Amino acid sequence: AFPARLLVHTWDHAAKVVLGGYLAFFCLLLLGVELNAPLRDIFGVLYHPLGRGFMLILMSSMCYGIHIAWWELLLCAAFAGCSFGYIYAYIKYPEYRRWQDYNDNLIWSDM
């Protein structure tokens, strides 16, 4: 039934399981960066638009590499659209390059 099928699928497609694990880790990392400002010391590149854009491109390619069902391609397109939006805004608008000014607000400076 279900557990046996899951184990067989894990054994047959180990690379897709590893990609799924990395994708889950990067999704949780991106969520943690959005919700927790003290992570800036460890993952500072994710507070920059180009760093976040390239990480989203990496996550998009992982979704494309898994490609078991249709929703992985939908997630791939969503990550790619967000990443190209970050990179386009960084290139097009010079005020967006001063990302540090937007992240330093009074809420996080009190912590």
Side-chain angles (χ1 to χ4, degrees):
F2 175 70
R5 188 173 37 157
L6 181 65
L7 290 174
V8 168
H9 182 72
T10 303
W11 184 262
D12 288 343
H13 305 287
K16 292 183 180 186
V17 172
V18 170
L19 276 178
Y22 276 118
L23 185 63
F25 170 74
F26 284 133
C27 285
L28 291 174
L29 178 65
L30 197 59
L31 179 68
V33 165
E34 286 289 331
L35 298 177
N36 194 1
L39 287 177
R40 181 179 303 175
D41 296 337
I42 303 169
F43 302 106
V45 71
L46 295 179
Y47 285 91
H48 195 269
L50 284 181
R52 190 172 291 183
F54 286 127
M55 182 176 167
L56 286 169
I57 287 175
L58 174 72
M59 292 168 65
S60 174
S61 66
M62 285 180 186
C63 288
Y64 186 75
I66 294 173
H67 183 51
I68 296 172
W70 61 271
W71 58 270
E72 276 110 359
L73 290 179
L74 184 65
L75 194 60
C76 173
F79 283 145
C82 289
S83 67
F84 292 134
Y86 272 112
I87 293 170
Y88 173 76
Y90 181 79
I91 293 170
K92 180 73 175 169
Y93 302 106
E95 63 270 8
Y96 194 62
R97 293 180 187 162
R98 294 186 301 270
W99 187 255
Q100 191 72 22
D101 298 337
Y102 295 113
N103 282 330
D104 289 336
N105 54 23
L106 294 176
I107 295 172
W108 299 115
S109 63
D110 293 337
M111 296 184 100

